[in-house]
């Protein structure tokens, strides 16, 4: 239940589940004792075909380090250099490398080392380039939020700092001294990442604390629909659509009208749909408001339980809808949560947009370009 067929999806405004940098609480995800710093930063498990997002793009710092100076540094010196400046906060080269190294290992576990050369678009952007830019924006985002802590009067409590101590110790316990030195992992770096994400979460929660959480059943309602689909095309052997001539379209129309009449009379719409639909994938869908084209939504949400619609014509074919369940409780409860979360994100994004406009964000391009996310070590 709840899947959306290819044919039916053409009628709907499916909202893409793409990460937003403006107010996404998951960005500040804190995983106690987790092994992946990428989880601490809130990074998602990115599929190889995920499109690159828009967001903050740091400006190259005009007085950054020279290439010659960078080449002559040893690891300890390089890790201590400031790579990012966000308002009054500085981010070291070593901290950025730590974010990237753990994310790199997680990605390679999921997709293999060959994923880095995967080309995402016509411009030739590779997965490695996309992920590196995404991490830069995520780190910048979190730091920019943290830079507002003093202004907002928000800080970690003593108990929260003790929790960060515990998370940090648990993380470091998973590495030998040799591994820590090899990857340039220090306690201060790990502690700072945990602390920043916890602080950013507190800031987010403080700004969304008074958001209205009252959502009516009707606003979030997700009915369960059964449907019959009659296609306006034929299928080729490879599955592609073959347009019908005028006579073929007339025959399709006559068939659809006949089925619409029979559908009104049947006592078993589910069985009727299974026998007569051209959509062999499924005949059931659970759908919410805003996920269908307006004219279809009006019909779908106007049906009472057990009621069948008339014939609905679309570009691809004809639909007959039947309301099997006026409100799916699980889907409706999930929608309520999503609506509240969206309200919180909108409220937070207003504050964040103002911060972004007044905060300078710089990146040392020489140090940034020196980080190679595809290597055994990300530096």
């Amino acid at each position: 239940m709840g899947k959306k067929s290819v044919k039916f999806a053409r009628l709907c405004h499916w909202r893409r589940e793409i990460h937003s940098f403006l107010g996404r609480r998951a960005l500040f995800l804190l995983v106690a004792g987790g092994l992946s710093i990428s989880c601490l930063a809130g990074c998602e498990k990115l599929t190889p075909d995920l499109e690159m997002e828009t967001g903050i793009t740091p400006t190259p710092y005009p007085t950054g380090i020279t290439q010659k100076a960078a080449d002559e540094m040893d690891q300890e010196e390089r890790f201590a250099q400031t790579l990012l400046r966000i308002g009054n906060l500085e981010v070291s080269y070593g901290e950025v490398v730590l974010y990237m190294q753990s994310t790199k290992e997680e990605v390679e576990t999921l997709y293999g080392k060959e994923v880095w050369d995967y080309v995402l678009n016509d411009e030739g952007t590779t997965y490695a380039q996309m992920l590196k830019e995404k991490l830069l924006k995520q780190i910048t985002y979190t730091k920019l939020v943290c830079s507002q802590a003093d202004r907002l009067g928000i800080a970690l409590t003593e108990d929260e700092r003790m929790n960060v101590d515990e998370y940090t110790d648990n993380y470091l316990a998973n590495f030998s001294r040799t591994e820590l030195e090899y990857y340039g992992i220090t306690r201060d770096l790990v502690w700072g990442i945990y602390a920043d994400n916890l602080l950013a979460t507190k800031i987010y929660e403080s700004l969304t604390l008074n958001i209205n959480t009252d959502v009516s059943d009707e606003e979030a309602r997700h009915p369960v629909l059964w449907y019959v689909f009659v296609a306006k095309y034929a299928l080729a052997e490879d599955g592609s659509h073959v347009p019908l001539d005028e006579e073929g379209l007339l025959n399709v129309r006559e068939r659809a009208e006949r089925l619409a009449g029979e559908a009104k009379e049947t006592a078993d719409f589910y069985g009727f749909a299974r026998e007569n639909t051209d959509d062999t994938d499924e005949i059931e869908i659970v759908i919410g408001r805003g996920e269908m084209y307006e004219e279809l939504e009006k019909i779908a949400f106007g049906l009472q339980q057990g009621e069948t619609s008339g014939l609905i014509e679309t570009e691809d074919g004809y639909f007959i809808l039947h309301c099997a369940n006026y409100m799916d409780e699980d889907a409706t409860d999930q929608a309520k949560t999503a609506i509240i979360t969206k309200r919180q994100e909108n409220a937070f994004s207003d504050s964040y947009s103002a911060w972004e406009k007044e905060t300078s964000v710089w990146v040392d391009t020489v140090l940034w370009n020196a980080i190679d996310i595809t290597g055994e070590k990300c530096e």
Side-chain angles (χ1 to χ4, degrees), residues 205-267:
E205 291 176 344
S206 73
L207 294 176
T208 60
L209 184 63
N210 297 320
I211 295 301
N212 180 17
T213 58
D214 184 21
V215 181
S216 68
D217 285 345
E218 189 58 31
E219 182 180 1
R221 181 166 70 91
H222 275 57
V224 180
L225 303 175
W226 296 337
Y227 66 95
V228 175
F229 173 72
V230 182
K232 287 183 178 178
Y233 51 80
L235 289 176
E237 291 185 2
D238 62 359
S240 61
H241 294 180
V242 179
L244 299 177
D245 57 21
E246 186 174 343
E247 181 180 357
L249 290 174
L250 180 60
N251 291 336
V252 167
R253 175 72 187 187
E254 291 176 350
R255 176 185 168 223
E257 290 176 342
R258 174 178 58 80
L259 290 176
E262 294 175 359
K264 289 285 189 179
E265 303 298 326
T266 184

Side-chain angles (χ1 to χ4, degrees), residues 48-52 118-127 129:
D49 59 349
L50 180 66
E51 293 184 8
M52 189 171 173
Y118 186 93
V119 178
L120 298 172
N121 52 37
D122 294 338
E123 287 71 39
T125 303
T126 65
Y127 188 85
Q129 293 169 331

Side-chain angles (χ1 to χ4, degrees), residues 3 38 47 49 86 93 137 142 150 244 268 297 344 348:
K3 293 191 304 179
S38 65
T47 55
D49 59 349
I86 300 98
Y93 179 95
K137 292 174 183 178
T142 303
D150 289 343
L244 299 177
D268 178 15
E297 180 177 303
Q344 293 173 326
F348 186 79

